[in-house]
């Protein structure tokens, strides 16, 4: 899956369904339930309750049964959480907040309790992005990033509804991502139209009853139920990438219910939608060009060219060859790639300018370059795993959840010809990335969202972190969100082609400023600037 959160590269998103739920009473119809805006306003002003008549009190007041995170002898993630003292529980939430007495689902949460109870600040809720990224596994890593202040928080991971160990969604997809390029020809685009429609049809055929209830607004409502079930008057929040959009939506639905809020790799609400990367072509090209300069200095290792221009020419040659088909690997594990898939692989790997990630892209491009020249190739275990996921759907549940959330949030254009016009228009300036960022996806064939997208109408004193060279949530996104939230402060990291900074990139300046805010609750007086370290 091409994901908007670098944190997801470190974890498995394989889901385990949890069966615990409250006893369901007869459902009320959506027509007789309070309007969504009224319900959310009630929830924002009634403490742990959600307002008389809302029917949600039993969810907010539920007692959580904390226990082991281990789900069996082969559960490596659960074993790791067990060693660090993390405990897990299931939170029961309504499938449909307009019918709270109807069907219920579970949201899996984890907790690493504060060890400095005398100076405890509260609970910090985590989201790694995606959309559809799990965070059940994240409290130990976040505790480490927070240094001494981490001991003062209960750190809460959660898998959003229909993700990971929460009530699962399985669309039965044969692939691990729907984010693909339109390719180099009209024929390849037409195949994409058929393919993306097939993905949407599969998901609707198997999950029609739940798809209308998969949305960021409902995940934000789940977050407030988690807050209430934890017994917190307010909750702090750390969100990466899509998690910044989720955090923003929470501040709008539940003003007064959030404490310290960090939004890293920020998405502007107006820019979030089915074509997530549209408009980010220049940033992706700069990131690829910077990597090409890095690879040129290591031509003896990768054989991609002696200069930046040579390496970029090699990349273009690989993409052109993929239109005829590339075969990589050795029996019994052989993969076939085309011009809709190779650009996705490149895009997935340029949102991180650290040495290990640049080396990984160098290795992968060297393999593809050999294949384009007709030479035999051998795959590293890591590259083989990435191709299995992308082409064979080893992580297809995550891909389905990602699309279900995006498609449930905002409508997409319907007409294939509109996409084709956008693709053709973009090719002149953005030959590699334009056909990907403008391509059609399953949302073009999805049912329209049940609710309108959230509008930012309330100020929120959040701390926003943004890198100037971020190819995913571009720097202009961070600036736009900062403008919508006048009380917020912006930490700019100059010179980094990186998505997701705090606690992950190793920049002491950013980490120190975020930890100071989490410790004191005081935002900086002015916006702050940090600089990428040499190397």
């Amino acid at each position: 899956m091409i994901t908007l959160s670098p944190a997801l590269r470190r974890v498995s998103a394989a889901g385990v369904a949890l069966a615990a739920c409250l006893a369901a009473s007869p459902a009320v119809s959506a027509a007789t339930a309070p309007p969504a805006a009224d319900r959310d306003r009630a929830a924002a002003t009634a403490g742990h309750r959600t307002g008389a008549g809302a029917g949600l009190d039993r969810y907010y007041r539920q007692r959580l049964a904390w226990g082991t995170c281990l789900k069996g002898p082969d559960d490596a993630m659960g074993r790791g959480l067990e060693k660090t003292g993390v405990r897990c529980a299931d939170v029961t939430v309504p499938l449909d907040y307009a019918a709270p007495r109807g069907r219920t689902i579970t949201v899996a949460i984890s907790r690493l309790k504060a060890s400095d109870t005398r100076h405890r600040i509260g609970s910090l809720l985590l989201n790694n992005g995606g959309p559809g990224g799990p965070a059940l596994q994240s409290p130990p890593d976040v505790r480490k990033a927070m240094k001494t202040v981490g001991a003062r928080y209960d750190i809460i991971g959660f898998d959003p509804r229909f993700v990971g160990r929460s009530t699962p969604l399985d669309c039965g997809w044969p692939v691990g991502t729907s984010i693909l390029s339109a390719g180099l020809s009209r024929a390849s685009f037409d195949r994409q139209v058929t393919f993306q429609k097939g993905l949407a049809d599969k998901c609707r055929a198997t999950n029609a009853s739940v798809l209308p209830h998969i949305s960021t607004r409902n995940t934000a409502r789940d977050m407030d139920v988690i807050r209430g079930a934890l017994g917190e008057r307010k909750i702090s929040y750390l969100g990466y990438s899509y998690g910044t959009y989720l955090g923003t939506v929470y501040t709008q639905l539940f003003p007064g219910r959030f404490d310290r809020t960090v939004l890293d790799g920020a998405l502007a609400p107006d820019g979030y939608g089915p074509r997530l990367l549209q408009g980010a072509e220049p940033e992706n090209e700069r990131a690829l060009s910077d990597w090409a300069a890095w690879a040129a200095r290591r031509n003896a290792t990768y054989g991609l060219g002696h200069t930046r221009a040579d390496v970029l020419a090699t990349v273009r040659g690989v993409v052109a060859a993929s239109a005829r088909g590339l075969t990589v690997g050795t029996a019994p594990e052989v993969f076939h790639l085309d011009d809709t898939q190779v650009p996705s692989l490149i895009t997935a790997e340029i949102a991180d300018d650290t040495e290990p990630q640049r080396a990984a892209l160098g290795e992968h491009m060297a393999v593809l370059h050999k294949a384009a020249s007709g030479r035999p190739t051998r795959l590293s275990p890591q590259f083989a795993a990435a191709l299995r996921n992308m082409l064979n759907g080893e992580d297809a549940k995550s891909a389905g959840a990602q699309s279900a959330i995006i498609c449930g949030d905002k409508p997409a254009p319907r007409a294939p010809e509109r996409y084709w016009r956008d693709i053709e228009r973009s090719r002149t300036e953005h030959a590699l990335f334009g056909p990907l960022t403008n391509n059609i996806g399953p949302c073009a064939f999805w049912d329209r969202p049940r609710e309108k997208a959230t509008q930012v109408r309330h100020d929120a004193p959040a701390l926003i972190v943004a890198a100037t060279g971020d190819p995913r949530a571009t720097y202009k996104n961070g600036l736009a969100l900062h403008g919508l939230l006048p009380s917020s402060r912006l930490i700019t990291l100059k010179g980094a082609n990186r998505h997701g900074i705090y606690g992950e990139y190793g920049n002491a300046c950013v980490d120190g400023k975020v930890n100071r805010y989490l410790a004191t609750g005081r935002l900086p007086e002015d916006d702050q600037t940090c600089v990428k370290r040499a190397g």
Side-chain angles (χ1 to χ4, degrees), residues 214-279:
I214 304 177
S215 69
T216 298
R217 288 173 68 89
N218 279 334
T219 300
R221 292 174 180 128
D222 295 344
M223 284 169 55
D224 204 56
V225 170
I226 292 170
R227 176 196 61 76
L230 291 172
E232 301 283 10
R233 187 174 65 87
K234 294 184 177 183
I235 198 160
S236 294
Y237 179 78
L238 168 62
Y240 293 91
S241 189
Y242 159 81
T244 68
Y245 178 71
L246 172 60
T248 302
V249 170
Y250 184 80
T251 68
Q252 300 306 299
L253 295 187
F254 301 100
R257 289 282 151 253
F258 58 93
D259 187 11
R260 300 162 205 198
T261 301
V262 179
L263 307 176
D264 187 327
L267 291 169
D270 289 346
Y272 167 78
R275 289 193 278 185
L276 278 173
L277 297 178
Q278 192 176 43

Side-chain angles (χ1 to χ4, degrees), residues 28-46:
V28 298
S29 71
T32 61
D38 292 344
R39 294 195 310 274
D40 297 331
R41 275 195 296 271
T45 58

